[in-house]
Amino acid sequence: LSLRFPQKLWKMLESGNFRSIWWSEGGKCVAINKDLFEIEVLGREGQQVFHTQKIKSFMRQLNAYGFIKMQRNFQRSASLPEFLAEEAAASAHSQILYYYNPSFNREHPMLLETCRRR
């Protein structure tokens, strides 16, 4: 039986088998390390999970099911050394994408059935 996109995503998050995607914000957001996800999930030969090898197609699927890309806001320090250190951390952090959907919450698996394609 073929699972719908949200169920596949849920199973992937719950499996703990992937380092490139995880629950964030207390189970309310999906966090994706973009570069690692492209290699670990989308680059799989013969075992594709989402029927695509392109991150843009995967993100379109997220959007089609009502996921919203969340922006991470960093507070900046006034001192130059601290500012530069924070910039370096933010740059590394920019490879992490965060997506939110009110019907996709780790604490409320029953909401998954309401997660429908637009």
Side-chain angles (χ1 to χ4, degrees):
L1 187 67
S2 181
L3 296 175
R4 293 184 316 118
F5 178 83
Q7 281 87 2
K8 287 180 188 180
L9 185 61
W10 186 281
K11 282 188 75 141
M12 177 178 272
L13 288 162
E14 289 295 305
S15 76
N17 294 334
F18 300 91
R19 295 178 303 127
S20 60
I21 186 167
W22 62 93
W23 289 106
S24 174
E25 305 295 327
K28 295 179 183 172
C29 289
V30 176
I32 303 165
N33 179 318
K34 182 178 171 269
D35 292 342
L36 186 56
F37 188 81
E38 287 180 291
I39 296 165
E40 183 182 48
V41 178
L42 302 178
R44 296 177 120 197
E45 292 292 325
Q47 300 179 17
Q48 288 185 325
V49 180
F50 295 108
H51 305 295
T52 185
Q53 293 179 317
K54 296 185 169 79
I55 190 75
K56 291 222 183 255
S57 296
F58 176 76
M59 291 190 299
R60 274 196 292 276
Q61 282 286 325
L62 286 169
N63 292 329
Y65 280 92
F67 285 83
I68 302 163
K69 187 174 180 183
M70 305 297 289
Q71 299 298 323
R72 305 308 274 171
N73 295 325
F74 292 97
Q75 297 293 332
R76 301 293 188 219
S77 295
S79 75
L80 183 59
E82 286 179 19
F83 176 79
L84 293 174
E86 288 168 0
E87 281 296 307
S91 175
H93 213 272
S94 70
Q95 290 301 310
I96 309 295
L97 307 173
Y98 296 90
Y99 283 89
Y100 169 77
N101 181 324
S103 297
F104 200 86
N105 186 314
R106 187 178 198 178
E107 300 300 315
H108 303 285
M110 62 288 215
L111 290 176
L112 189 58
E113 289 303 314
T114 66
C115 192
R116 300 266 181 230
R117 189 175 182 90
R118 291 182 190 178

